[in-house]
Amino acid sequence: MNIFRLCKSLYAGSFVRLVFLFLVMTLSMQSLVVAIGLLRYHRAIDGQIHSIQNAHGVYLMQFELGEAIWDQENIQEAGEKISQLPGVREVIRTRELHVECNNESYTLLVYHEWMAKHFRPHAIRGEWVDSSDSVVISSYGAMRNVIGQKLMLTFRNGSDTVTYPITVQGVMGNTSHVLRLTRSATALSLQDLQYPAYGHLQKYMIVSETSVFYRTFRDAFQTGRNFLVLFEGEIPLQTEQALRAMGLVMDFRELDQNTEKEYELGMFYVRYLLLFSGMSLILAFGMSLSFVREKHRELAVYAICGCRRWQKKMLSSLGVILIATVSFLLQSMVICFFYKWHLYRILENAVIAPRLIGVIAGYTLLICAVSWISSDVIYGKKQLVDVLQENRK
Amino acid sequence: MIELSGIDKFYADGAEQKHVLKNICMTVSEGDFISVCGTSGCGKTTLLNILGLLDTFDSGEYIFDGQSMADLKEKEMTVFRNSHIGFVFQDFMLIQKETVFFNVALPLYFSKKAPEDLAMRVRDALEDVGLEDLQYKKVSTLSGGQKQRVAIARAIVNQPRLILADEPTGALDAKSTEQMLRLFERLNQRDRTAFVIVTHDPAVADFCKIHYDMIDGQLCLRP
């Protein structure tokens, strides 16, 4: 038996149809992922959805002190000037940021008010920070109940060491979206949001030392051009104006409005992407069933002509390999397009995403599973006689 | 050649069992030209499927050349069907997108014939049905009568001893029906191939030499 001839007969004529089918299916899957990614991108994680309607306050941004303007001495001088402004409790120029508590080391993530409003992790115990003297710690870090304990934050500020007492007020859940926030911010081209946390210090939280967080802050502080400014409560207008005059303050109003527009646009896309995804998935599934049905009819003809069960299985398997290959190529192409258009950050925000190969393999597996399941459930158990009867009808 | 005795077949019909074939007894000898007539749903196609080893039976005995078919495993059944039985269906059961040659050669692909032998046999079968000039044509471009002749060529290409035809004239006009029956008759007389034709067309039945009637799952030999 010339298996290649039979295989060619079964699948060659269907190649274009197969490509179209999987293109539809791939687009459907990808748009679903993008929709999920966008949804996560624009909403808080852990099931909390925060409106951005009220996010119009003035917030301080990180201090970008250009080297051309600020040399080491100037930085010192600027730090001194800032520390004398009303409401400023402490100005810290630091290269490393870590805290110690009960002989355990944590990385400190300074939580920006704007971030706290929109990307606040779910507090699973205790309460969210409500003063500049309180912290929440990650569930990973909270190996035992530490709510109410006093922690001593220890910073190395140049050659000095600064100790700063704070109280653990709550334990929070997943903090991974904080990382996503910094990436999302970049994706939104809001480059200035990339390190939104250490411009001023109004709220704190302690997270376990993950390499990513650690690297982010280490890199940021190693520039030696940044300050941590500890404020007492709200930032007085006078201080804000002074910092602005020094070129150290950025107004978030316009930024927030842009973000709001981005949010609305994002939600618009999410809705239509979900609609498109659902409809194309139904279309693809219908096409898939029709394809499988046709192949089963052809295999029934083969069976009448003496094709044995193992030969049928082999031919079906070759079909699945073909389907998997076509699917894999299409998935790869689509994801390449994502990268080409710098949309991969959206993918990264989706449920399944971090590793490209894993994503492609996952989709391929999913699509093949859909084909197999539809094939097996709907036609696999049918006897040859049933197929003959169907054909007669 | 074939002896069916006491064949019963049940189908599940919801919670109930439907008795489709009741105590079927039938003999098919070499060179027989048999028709099985009956109304729709009386069980004649089921009988044909059992004869062709496409379906199983629940009780009784099916002997083909002294060998019990009930003892055969699925793989053996497939091989037996491939080498001894040819099929002609009302809807042709052809691969429409393929050529006449490919369709006729299909049973030979599965019986591991050498390529030269395969080509020769296909040519002979197509000559028998008068389609030797159309061997590289796609089946989808042929008329109904021509398609049925391709199906007949496929049925005879392995030189089977029995050809089973299920309403073979159902999709044909009067002229094509006449041509097809003459072809059956010729093959029957020349090769001594036995034919069992299931039909509800009296004209087709009259063409056969032995007549059976299927009434409500029971087979009666017409005198």
Side-chain angles (χ1 to χ4, degrees):
Chain A
M1 185 188 66
N2 188 341
I3 190 77
F4 295 109
R5 177 69 186 89
L6 294 173
C7 197
K8 185 184 157 208
S9 166
L10 259 180
Y11 300 111
S14 318
F15 188 73
V16 174
R17 204 171 133 202
L18 205 62
V19 168
F20 182 68
L21 160 67
F22 283 103
L23 190 64
V24 172
M25 209 176 250
T26 304
L27 285 176
S28 169
M29 293 290 169
Q30 295 288 2
S31 47
L32 183 68
V33 166
V34 172
I36 294 170
L38 278 174
L39 203 66
R40 291 173 70 95
Y41 181 95
H42 287 286
R43 289 181 169 191
I45 320 297
D46 283 347
Q48 289 193 354
I49 299 163
H50 299 281
S51 165
I52 63 160
Q53 299 301 320
N54 301 320
H56 292 298
V58 177
Y59 299 101
L60 295 179
M61 196 54 190
Q62 69 183 73
F63 299 163
E64 287 290 348
L65 308 179
E67 284 179 39
I69 306 168
W70 300 91
D71 55 24
Q72 285 296 318
E73 283 178 18
N74 284 341
I75 289 171
Q76 191 64 38
E77 191 183 327
E80 281 167 18
K81 275 186 189 170
I82 294 167
S83 65
Q84 287 161 12
L85 291 172
V88 175
R89 177 184 286 186
E90 196 98 47
V91 179
I92 299 167
R93 187 173 68 79
T94 178
R95 286 181 180 275
E96 286 182 38
L97 192 65
H98 68 273
V99 294
E100 282 178 8
C101 167
N102 299 335
N103 297 324
E104 287 182 35
S105 214
Y106 300 104
T107 298
L108 179 71
L109 178 61
V110 184
Y111 217 108
H112 192 283
E113 183 72 19
W114 185 84
M115 283 167 71
K117 271 193 177 171
H118 305 109
F119 299 94
R120 172 184 299 179
H122 180 56
I124 54 176
R125 271 191 282 156
E127 291 171 2
W128 183 252
V129 282
D130 60 0
S131 75
S132 57
D133 292 335
S134 59
V135 290
V136 290
I137 65 173
S138 72
S139 52
Y140 179 78
M143 299 305 284
R144 54 197 164 269
N145 191 352
V146 290
I147 293 173
Q149 276 193 11
K150 282 246 185 245
L151 301 186
M152 297 304 290
L153 302 190
T154 308
F155 304 101
R156 271 209 299 277
N157 190 15
S159 56
D160 303 330
T161 300
V162 178
T163 306
Y164 192 73
I166 47 173
T167 308
V168 177
Q169 194 165 314
V171 176
M172 64 194 171
N174 183 16
T175 56
S176 57
H177 65 285
V178 179
L179 170 65
R180 285 201 186 92
L181 173 73
T182 58
R183 290 187 176 184
S184 305
T186 315
L188 278 168
S189 300
L190 304 177
Q191 294 294 337
D192 291 330
L193 258 179
Q194 202 164 6
Y195 301 112
Y198 54 86
H200 65 300
L201 194 59
Q202 282 191 315
K203 308 287 181 191
Y204 318 89
M205 62 182 179
I206 296 176
V207 297
S208 56
E209 186 169 313
T210 65
S211 58
V212 181
F213 278 122
Y214 180 75
R215 195 164 51 243
T216 302
F217 283 90
R218 187 192 60 194
D219 292 350
F221 285 104
Q222 272 182 351
T223 60
R225 294 185 286 113
N226 302 290
F227 294 92
L228 288 170
V229 185
L230 310 186
F231 286 98
E232 292 279 358
E234 291 296 311
I235 304 156
L237 185 63
Q238 187 191 352
T239 305
E240 186 199 327
Q241 284 169 343
L243 291 169
R244 198 188 295 275
M246 293 168 76
L248 303 177
V249 183
M250 185 173 168
D251 194 337
F252 264 78
R253 270 186 193 130
E254 195 183 338
L255 203 63
D256 284 339
Q257 278 165 5
N258 287 340
T259 312
E260 197 170 341
K261 279 177 195 164
E262 290 275 352
Y263 177 85
E264 305 233 323
L265 193 64
M267 289 300 115
F268 173 81
Y269 285 139
V270 166
R271 275 193 289 276
Y272 283 93
L273 277 171
L274 283 175
L275 186 69
F276 173 77
S277 171
M279 287 177 71
S280 51
L281 195 64
I282 291 168
L283 174 70
F285 201 72
M287 286 169 68
S288 170
L289 285 188
S290 150
F291 178 78
V292 171
R293 187 188 167 105
E294 189 187 301
K295 293 304 137 197
H296 269 268
R297 282 185 176 183
E298 288 181 25
L299 284 170
V301 175
Y302 283 16
I304 289 164
C305 293
C307 180
R308 287 175 220 165
R309 185 180 280 236
W310 70 266
Q311 290 169 327
K312 260 176 82 176
K313 288 210 166 183
M314 186 168 69
L315 287 167
S316 306
S317 305
L318 284 171
V320 171
I321 291 170
L322 179 73
I323 285 167
T325 310
V326 171
S327 166
F328 188 81
L329 289 174
L330 283 173
Q331 309 281 350
S332 310
M333 278 168 62
V334 170
I335 290 180
C336 282
F337 272 113
F338 272 115
Y339 270 78
K340 169 92 179 157
W341 293 98
H342 303 290
L343 293 171
Y344 54 92
R345 288 183 194 283
I346 292 173
L347 278 181
E348 282 170 354
N349 277 279
V351 180
I352 4 159
R355 303 212 176 271
L356 186 62
I357 298 298
V359 174
I360 298 175
Y363 287 143
T364 308
L365 197 70
L366 188 67
I367 283 174
C368 287
V370 167
S371 303
W372 258 124
I373 290 165
S374 59
S375 158
D376 251 19
V377 171
I378 298 169
Y379 294 104
K381 287 178 185 166
K382 286 203 171 189
Q383 300 296 315
L384 181 55
V385 178
D386 298 324
V387 180
L388 293 176
Q389 274 175 354
E390 257 184 32
N391 279 5
R392 280 167 67 91
K393 284 171 195 167
Chain B
M1 184 169 68
I2 290 177
E3 271 196 39
L4 295 182
S5 53
I7 296 285
D8 282 298
K9 175 75 182 175
F10 297 89
Y11 276 133
D13 186 12
E16 292 178 12
Q17 290 269 333
K18 194 176 172 190
H19 201 167
V20 187
L21 295 182
K22 298 169 185 167
N23 193 29
I24 300 291
C25 295
M26 185 185 192
T27 306
V28 181
S29 304
E30 208 169 77
D32 275 355
F33 206 77
I34 299 171
S35 72
V36 179
C37 290
T39 53
S40 274
C42 68
K44 49 189 194 303
T45 298
T46 306
L47 172 65
L48 202 78
N49 287 338
I50 289 173
L51 274 172
L53 302 174
L54 295 173
D55 204 352
T56 54
F57 48 93
D58 296 311
S59 63
E61 202 159 25
Y62 176 6
I63 307 287
F64 197 121
D65 274 349
Q67 189 180 0
S68 173
M69 293 295 109
D71 300 337
L72 293 184
K73 291 175 185 163
E74 192 183 325
K75 180 184 164 188
E76 294 165 331
M77 240 183 235
T78 309
V79 174
F80 194 91
R81 189 166 61 224
N82 182 250
S83 52
H84 290 87
I85 305 170
F87 294 91
V88 179
F89 295 96
Q90 179 182 352
D91 57 355
F92 321 125
M93 289 293 281
L94 298 169
I95 312 279
Q96 299 285 333
K97 65 190 180 199
E98 281 294 345
T99 61
V100 169
F101 184 95
F102 178 86
N103 273 278
V104 176
L106 255 185
L108 300 174
Y109 278 137
F110 295 109
S111 57
K112 298 175 183 170
K113 290 279 184 291
E116 320 80 58
D117 191 24
L118 183 143
M120 194 182 71
R121 279 188 183 226
V122 172
R123 220 172 16 251
D124 289 348
L126 286 173
E127 267 176 24
D128 282 339
V129 298
L131 290 179
E132 62 271 29
D133 297 335
L134 301 179
Q135 60 178 319
Y136 297 116
K137 276 249 179 194
K138 288 240 164 109
V139 168
S140 55
T141 63
L142 304 180
S143 69
Q146 286 171 325
K147 282 179 187 172
Q148 196 59 295
R149 280 194 278 160
V150 174
I152 295 167
R154 187 183 64 188
I156 62 172
V157 75
N158 243 348
Q159 296 163 349
R161 299 178 61 204
L162 171 69
I163 288 180
L164 302 171
D166 189 1
E167 303 278 10
T169 60
L172 303 182
D173 57 27
K175 190 182 167 195
S176 300
T177 300
E178 170 79 16
Q179 283 175 345
M180 195 204 71
L181 290 172
R182 294 277 167 223
L183 179 61
F184 277 0
E185 190 182 37
R186 186 156 55 84
L187 294 169
N188 173 250
Q189 286 171 355
R190 191 189 70 187
D191 304 331
R192 304 279 298 148
T193 308
F195 279 81
V196 177
I197 302 172
V198 160
T199 183
H200 62 263
D201 182 353
V204 175
D206 289 346
F207 204 85
C208 299
K209 293 167 191 162
I210 301 167
H211 308 280
Y212 281 94
D213 287 314
M214 179 74 88
I215 302 163
D216 196 22
Q218 289 180 314
L219 195 66
C220 320
L221 182 62
R222 205 187 296 169

